[in-house]
């Protein structure tokens, strides 16, 4: 999603994650021993880093890893050896690490640790990582001295970090992370430990755009507890305030993940074999841990947006899974059991509708936002309740989602797709067109519409609806409304004996039909549209009729069945040339243009066939004109294809 200010929320989130992954190990070397932190970092950053605008330079990443490795060796020098943090481990950095350390710090041994005193059996140390001003090509990374206070009592190491922060500069983005604090406790010989990182603020700025985001009071807390041969791990992530330049505000974001019943011996073996490589850990981890009965609990995932607090909690596991099950995808998914409980306030749903409308309309003025936002909200609410995805409890939507034996149940209602099918759909590329609809489209005439729907169109100024209301009330002998609507349509009031037929159904010749409109006039044909499929067609505009205000054109629009916005593609005669210009634009229900239109540079010969494909996804209408794409936002349930011919002869052929 892109906010009106231009900052990508997923990109900003990625920097928060990237900051944590790239800095926490300076102060908290035990992070690499946390399976839950590893899984969370890998899963979250795997999605987010694909959207990040740039990466930290390789020198920074390699130097960070080298410092982390040295810290880990000093805090765990080996069985039977005392912990002496002020003494180098004796293991020299690799050549690549030496080069990176030299490039970043100006020395191959940047980590300075001094013994500062003792209190009884507790020995205290002070560690310093020097300030950096690293520049390479068009990237710059700077930070001030980072300082730790260590307390070592036998095999237990306590550490406290204070770091003013760091700044990173790329050609298009800047990142400013300030006031970093951290604590950790690790006891050698056990996997039990706890650690916490807090950040005062994070600022993310687009230097070439107008995007800006600001976060306050970020915190990550991770804890591992051990009982007999079992481990429980917990990681919490929170952001107190998150603000975007366009006014979007998120508060009290919180995630609480717990991994239960880890086999401690197995985990110890895996982490040692992986040697701190999280990817290797995860690859080797999943199968044996699932066989040992480990399960993931989502104790809380929540945040406040638009005046309401969204909440999600649940659990995930594979009870009773067998070794052979994990070699077969269907058997593995059959073993998954999960339960999720979701709460979504109506106020938050309304805010989502406003935000999605902003996205679709590319930040139009507020005066044109209310109606499409109302449409989007009504559609979302109707879809969630009507399809059984949620139930209404007071002022919030609630859903209980259960997964068992590869089947999904929502609020007790079995879904028509399996877990495998759902995941496949979620991973499908959104820009990949859906399958083609080769059925002949079904026409919807005005006389076939319900009276209530006609009135809605009529009150939105639709001339065709007004004409049909004039006919319907006149034939029924209902004089007052007949006179009103006939006056709007510019027609005499008909009688029951007249019963004029105002429209003739389209006559198909094989899969084609022809239409013709005089200069300054237009005809409209309406067809039902399957939003789950792509509609391919060929159109041709010929015999253009000149008019002072109306250009000869063919217009194709996608809309809802009730009055709504319309996403339209227009092929119009370009000036005095024999060429057609292809353009797209979003229109309100009363035909007012919304936002800015788009046009292709390429033009098309008048009188020659033009190949089109139209389809929609959750956010956009896609118009492909001879393979070139135009996009318009969709804030309505697409259900109709409207074809219009103006000031010329028009031919339509459906694939």
């Amino acid at each position: 999603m892109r906010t009106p200010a231009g900052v990508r929320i997923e990109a900003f989130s990625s920097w928060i994650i990237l900051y944590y992954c790239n800095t926490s190990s300076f102060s908290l070397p035990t992070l690499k021993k946390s399976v839950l932190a590893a899984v969370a970092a890998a899963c979250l950053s795997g999605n987010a880093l694909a959207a990040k605008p740039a990466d930290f330079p390789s020198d920074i990443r390699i130097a960070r890893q080298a410092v982390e490795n040295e810290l880990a060796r000093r805090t765990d020098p080996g069985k039977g050896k005392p912990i002496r943090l002020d003494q180098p481990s004796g293991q020299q950095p690799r050549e690549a690490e030496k080069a990176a350390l030299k490039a970043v710090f100006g020395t191959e041994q940047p980590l300075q640790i001094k013994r500062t005193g003792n209190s009884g059996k507790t020995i205290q140390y002070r560690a310093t990582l020097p300030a950096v001003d690293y520049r390479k090509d068009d990237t710059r990374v700077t930070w001030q001295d980072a300082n730790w206070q260590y307390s070592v009592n036998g095999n237990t190491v306590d550490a406290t970090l204070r770091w003013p922060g760091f700044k990173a500069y790329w050609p298009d983005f800047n990142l400013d992370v300030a006031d970093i604090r951290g604590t950790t406790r690790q006891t050698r010989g056990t996997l039990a430990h706890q650690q916490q990182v807090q950040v005062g603020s994070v600022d993310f700025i687009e230097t070439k755009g107008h995007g800006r985001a600001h976060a306050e009071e970020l915190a990550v807390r991770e804890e591992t507890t051990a009982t007999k041969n079992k481990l429980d791990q917990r990681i919490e992530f929170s952001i107190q305030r998150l603000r975007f330049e366009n006014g979007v505000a998120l508060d009290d974001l919180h995630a609480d993940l717990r991994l239960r019943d880890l086999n401690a011996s197995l985990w110890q073996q895996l982490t040692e074999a992986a040697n701190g490589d999280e990817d290797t850990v995860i690859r080797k981890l999943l199968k044996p841990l699932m066989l040992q009965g480990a399960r993931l609990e989502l104790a809380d995932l929540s945040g406040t947006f638009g005046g309401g607090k969204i909440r999600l909690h649940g659990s995930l596991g594979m009870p009773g899974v067998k070794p052979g099950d994990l070699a077969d995808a269907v058997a593995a998914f059959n073993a998954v059991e999960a339960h999720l409980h979701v709460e979504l306030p109506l106020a938050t749903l309304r805010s989502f509708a406003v935000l999605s409308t902003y996205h679709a309309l590319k930040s139009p003025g507020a005066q044109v936002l209310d109606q499409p936002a109302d449409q989007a909200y009504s559609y979302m609410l109707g879809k969630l309740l009507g399809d059984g995805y949620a139930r209404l409890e007071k002022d919030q939507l609630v859903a209980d989602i259960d997964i068992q034996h590869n089947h999904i149940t929502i609020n007790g209602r079995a879904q028509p797709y399996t877990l495998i099918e759902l995941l496949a759909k979620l991973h499908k590329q959104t820009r990949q067109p859906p399958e083609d609809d080769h059925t002949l489209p079904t026409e919807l005439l005005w006389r076939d519409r319900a009276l209530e729907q006609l009135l809605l169109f009529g009150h939105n100024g639709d001339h065709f609806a007004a004409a049909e209301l004039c006919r319907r009330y006149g034939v029924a002998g209902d004089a007052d409304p007949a006179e009103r609507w006939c006056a709007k349509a510019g027609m005499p009031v008909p009688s029951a004996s007249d019963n004029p037929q105002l429209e003739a159904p389209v006559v198909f010749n094989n899969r084609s039909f022809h239409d013709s409109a005089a200069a300054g006039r237009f005809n409209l044909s309406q067809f039902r549209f399957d939003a789950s499929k792509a509609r391919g067609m060929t159109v041709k505009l010929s015999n253009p009729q000149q008019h002072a205000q109306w250009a000869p054109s063919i217009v194709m629009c996608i809309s809802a069945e009730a009055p709504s916005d319309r996403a339209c593609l227009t092929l119009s005669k370009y000036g005095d040339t024999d060429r057609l210009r292809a353009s797209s634009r979003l229109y309100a229900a009363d035909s007012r243009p919304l936002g800015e239109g788009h046009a292709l540079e390429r033009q098309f010969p008048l009188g020659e066939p033009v190949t089109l494909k139209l389809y929609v996804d959750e956010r956009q209408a896609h118009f492909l004109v001879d393979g070139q794409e135009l996009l318009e936002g969709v804030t309505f349930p697409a259900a109709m294809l409207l074809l219009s011919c103006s000031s010329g002869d028009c031919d339509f052929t459906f694939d």
Side-chain angles (χ1 to χ4, degrees):
M1 174 176 56
R2 188 174 179 86
T3 68
V7 171
R8 294 176 62 180
I9 294 177
E10 67 269 25
F12 178 68
S13 302
S14 77
W15 284 119
I16 295 174
I17 296 164
L18 191 60
Y19 145 73
Y20 177 66
C21 294
N22 279 273
T23 61
S24 61
S25 55
F26 280 137
S27 59
L28 307 172
T30 58
L31 176 67
K32 302 300 177 181
K33 297 181 180 179
S34 163
V35 56
L36 198 53
V39 171
C43 293
L44 292 174
S45 61
N47 289 328
L49 297 185
K52 66 183 175 61
D55 201 353
F56 282 94
S58 60
D59 285 340
I60 296 288
R61 289 184 281 111
I62 294 172
R64 174 196 67 83
Q65 186 68 51
V67 172
E68 174 196 318
N69 291 342
E70 176 63 16
L71 265 175
R73 288 190 292 266
R74 295 196 194 189
T75 55
D76 192 357
K79 188 175 182 179
K81 296 181 180 180
I83 298 174
R84 292 292 306 272
L85 298 181
D86 55 338
Q87 294 183 0
S89 66
Q91 182 173 327
Q92 292 298 311
R94 295 178 291 107
E95 290 303 316
E97 292 175 335
K98 289 181 181 179
L101 290 167
K102 189 80 172 177
V104 174
F105 297 101
T107 175
E108 295 176 4
Q109 300 291 337
L111 185 61
Q112 302 296 320
I113 303 181
K114 297 181 179 180
R115 182 169 173 168
T116 59
N118 61 282
S119 176
K121 295 182 179 180
T122 301
I123 304 174
Q124 297 173 342
Y125 299 88
R126 177 183 175 86
T128 301
L129 196 67
V132 161
D133 189 347
Y134 173 88
R135 303 171 191 235
K136 185 174 183 180
D137 300 328
D138 50 9
T139 301
R140 181 184 180 191
V141 179
T142 69
W143 66 68
Q144 301 178 49
D145 289 354
N147 295 292
W148 297 260
Q149 299 293 334
Y150 279 98
S151 296
V152 179
N153 187 339
N155 289 324
T156 299
V157 179
D158 291 287
T160 302
L161 165 73
R162 290 305 301 262
W163 191 10
F166 71 91
K167 298 180 180 181
Y169 306 87
W170 292 270
D172 299 327
F173 299 85
N174 292 342
L175 180 68
D176 186 348
V177 180
D179 189 18
I180 302 169
R181 296 130 15 226
T183 61
T184 183
R185 163 168 283 198
Q186 174 73 41
T187 300
R188 185 170 56 164
T190 73
L191 292 174
H193 66 276
Q194 59 188 31
Q195 58 190 17
Q196 180 169 307
V197 180
Q198 295 172 284
V199 181
S201 65
V202 177
D203 284 282
F204 180 84
I205 303 166
E206 280 185 323
T207 56
K208 293 184 179 180
H210 303 287
R212 185 184 185 105
H214 173 76
E216 296 179 9
E217 295 305 322
L218 295 83
V220 179
R221 178 177 177 270
E222 192 265 328
E223 182 178 12
T224 298
T225 57
T227 55
K228 296 183 179 179
N229 195 35
K230 293 290 185 180
L231 295 177
D232 285 347
Q233 293 200 332
R234 176 181 183 181
I235 185 168
E236 288 186 89
F237 181 77
S238 63
I239 303 176
Q240 192 174 102
R241 282 178 293 277
L242 182 56
R243 299 289 185 268
F244 294 91
E245 192 172 82
N246 65 333
V248 173
L250 305 173
D251 293 291
D252 301 323
L253 300 173
H254 180 251
D256 186 350
L257 296 168
R258 304 176 189 187
L259 192 57
R260 302 288 196 186
D261 297 331
L262 284 165
N263 183 294
S265 300
L266 179 59
W267 173 235
Q268 179 72 39
Q269 296 170 17
L270 290 170
T271 52
E272 290 176 355
N275 194 27
D277 182 346
E278 291 154 351
D279 290 336
T280 302
V281 169
I282 294 169
R283 285 196 303 270
K284 292 187 175 183
L285 171 73
L286 294 178
K287 179 176 178 178
L289 285 185
M290 290 300 100
L291 291 174
Q292 291 290 336
R295 68 185 191 279
L296 177 66
E297 292 181 2
L298 178 59
D300 180 57
L301 181 62
S302 60
T304 300
F305 173 65
K309 195 174 188 68
I310 310 167
R311 291 185 173 88
L312 171 67
H313 61 81
S315 61
L316 171 67
M318 299 178 75
V321 67
K322 301 174 183 177
D325 293 343
L326 297 179
D328 178 81
V330 175
F333 279 106
N334 278 332
V336 172
E337 289 190 10
H339 173 73
L340 296 174
H341 179 80
V342 187
E343 298 175 2
L344 175 65
L346 293 179
T348 302
L349 182 67
R350 167 69 189 181
S351 297
F352 280 141
V354 172
L355 191 62
S356 68
T357 305
Y358 264 120
H359 167 78
L361 300 187
K362 297 179 174 61
S363 308
Q367 70 274 12
V368 300
L369 186 62
D370 290 343
Q371 185 178 7
D374 288 341
Q375 293 170 1
Y377 173 70
S378 297
Y379 172 63
M380 291 177 181
L381 183 60
K383 185 74 173 174
L384 290 170
L385 293 175
D387 291 352
Y389 293 124
R391 61 184 186 273
L392 188 61
E393 294 185 359
K394 295 183 179 179
D395 59 350
Q396 66 180 7
L397 297 170
V398 177
D400 287 293
I401 304 169
D402 290 282
I403 300 172
Q404 191 170 24
H405 305 307
N406 199 25
H407 292 288
I408 303 172
T409 302
I410 301 179
N411 292 328
R413 181 178 177 180
Q415 299 303 301
Y417 44 78
T418 65
L419 178 59
I420 294 177
E421 292 168 343
L422 176 62
L423 294 175
K425 183 177 181 180
L426 293 175
H427 281 83
K428 185 177 181 180
Q429 301 241 356
T430 57
R431 294 181 66 87
Q432 181 74 20
E435 65 174 296
D436 292 336
D437 187 349
H438 293 297
T439 63
L440 200 62
T442 301
E443 188 177 12
L444 180 62
L445 300 174
W446 287 107
R447 63 174 178 258
D448 296 328
R449 290 181 180 266
L451 177 62
E452 293 78 7
Q453 204 172 80
L454 282 173
L455 289 169
L456 288 173
F457 277 100
H459 287 302
N460 273 281
D462 192 292
H463 173 80
F464 295 103
E468 172 58 24
L469 286 165
C470 166
R471 185 199 68 82
R472 193 170 299 191
Y473 281 119
V475 170
D478 200 341
D480 289 342
E483 289 179 359
R484 288 198 307 272
W485 288 110
C486 289
K488 290 178 180 290
M491 296 169 51
V493 177
S495 65
S497 59
D498 294 333
N499 193 15
Q501 296 300 311
L502 303 178
E503 54 188 338
V506 164
V507 177
F508 280 100
N509 181 9
N510 195 3
R511 302 186 66 84
S512 303
F513 75 91
H514 176 80
D515 200 355
S516 182
R521 309 289 293 181
F522 76 95
N523 298 327
L524 177 68
S525 301
Q526 306 177 87
F527 300 91
R528 295 196 181 277
F529 178 76
D530 186 345
S532 67
K533 297 181 179 179
R535 173 63 74 176
M537 58 193 305
T538 301
V539 300
K540 182 175 71 173
L541 177 64
S542 58
N543 191 25
Q545 304 296 306
Q546 299 302 316
H547 189 273
Q549 295 179 325
W550 289 80
S553 62
I554 291 177
V555 182
M556 293 133 289
C557 298
I558 296 173
S559 73
E561 185 170 341
S564 72
D565 297 344
R566 303 188 302 276
C568 297
L569 170 68
T570 300
L571 294 173
S572 57
K573 186 174 180 295
Y574 188 66
D576 295 328
T577 70
D578 289 332
R579 311 290 291 177
L580 295 177
R581 178 176 182 266
S583 61
S584 65
R585 196 161 194 178
L586 194 69
Y587 295 88
D590 59 4
S591 298
R592 287 179 298 109
L594 301 175
E596 299 180 359
H598 306 86
L600 296 179
E601 292 185 8
R602 177 186 170 189
Q603 295 178 3
F604 304 86
L606 180 68
E608 296 294 328
V610 180
T611 302
L612 308 175
K613 179 170 283 190
L614 296 71
Y615 68 95
V616 297
D617 57 29
E618 292 181 352
R619 294 188 176 278
Q620 293 177 307
H622 299 249
F623 300 107
L624 277 71
V625 187
D626 273 0
Q628 298 186 54
E629 189 174 48
L630 290 167
L631 299 172
E632 292 297 334
V634 171
T635 60
F636 50 84
M640 297 296 298
L641 173 62
L642 314 180
L643 302 180
S644 176
C645 177
S646 175
S647 304
D649 291 339
C650 307
D651 290 283
F652 303 87
T653 301
F654 292 96
D655 294 349

